[in-house]
Amino acid sequence: MAIRTYDILLDSYNSTMPEPIVGRQGDKNGAVTLHVTITDRGTAVDLTGQTVNLIAETAKGTAVVADNAGVTLTDAVNGKFDYAIPNALWSESGKITKAYFSLNDTDGQQTTYDLIFIVKKAIDTSQDKADDYITIIDGTIRDLKTKVDAIYTDYQSGNFYNKSETDSKDS
């Protein structure tokens, strides 16, 4: 199941960069899915008989990802495919700027413009800090419950004024 999806148009003549594709370190295969259309000067590139690969370097440059397992041709004649990004790409936090699709057939190889991926850190807070927050919230809830219970007890025993009562005593 995809958590995030992106529609991407990659045209050979269009130098407009697609928006950065964002994932989180440790995302599973397919957590982020791309719906890609490849065109050449506005004309669809026929992907029939092509092998489409994502070629990318991880954020810190420690590994190269060469993957076509995530590719599903949805409309090959019109240059459309879906790509479920593999978890290997999300292994290191940071910005990935070396990433593109490679189209391979018997005539050779063609590549698209680079894509930009942002890999966010997996954990926003440590377990200790999360436990501290939960302890504080639980304590606040207990304190509020104690106060509400005390108010209810006072109300039940008649320790509250009603509209007809005043603070002064008649002498």
Side-chain angles (χ1 to χ4, degrees), residues 25-127:
Q25 191 177 8
D27 274 351
K28 296 179 180 181
N29 288 339
V32 179
T33 300
L34 308 179
H35 304 293
V36 181
T37 303
I38 298 180
T39 58
D40 181 13
R41 295 179 183 258
T43 303
V45 172
D46 188 352
L47 300 175
T48 305
Q50 302 266 1
T51 301
V52 179
N53 293 291
L54 176 76
I55 308 297
E57 195 173 272
T58 56
K60 294 179 181 154
T62 60
V64 172
V65 176
D67 175 63
N68 67 2
V71 174
T72 303
L73 295 175
T74 56
D75 186 356
V77 173
N78 290 308
K80 295 183 180 194
F81 64 94
D82 289 346
Y83 182 67
I85 298 172
N87 62 351
L89 195 67
W90 308 122
S91 63
E92 299 171 348
S93 64
K95 185 176 180 179
I96 299 172
T97 56
K98 294 179 183 177
Y100 57 88
F101 286 105
S102 172
L103 311 174
N104 302 285
D105 65 10
T106 55
D107 293 333
Q109 177 185 19
Q110 302 175 71
T111 60
T112 66
Y113 283 112
D114 284 334
L115 302 168
I116 295 174
F117 291 87
I118 304 293
V119 184
K120 294 185 174 187
K121 288 186 179 183
I123 299 173
D124 297 327
T125 186
S126 68
Q127 186 63 47

Side-chain angles (χ1 to χ4, degrees), residues 1-24:
M1 175 183 101
I3 295 171
R4 288 171 303 285
T5 61
Y6 292 85
D7 292 327
I8 297 176
L9 172 62
L10 297 172
D11 187 87
S12 63
Y13 193 66
N14 184 355
S15 62
T16 304
M17 281 297 250
E19 67 179 297
I21 300 155
V22 180
R24 189 161 300 280

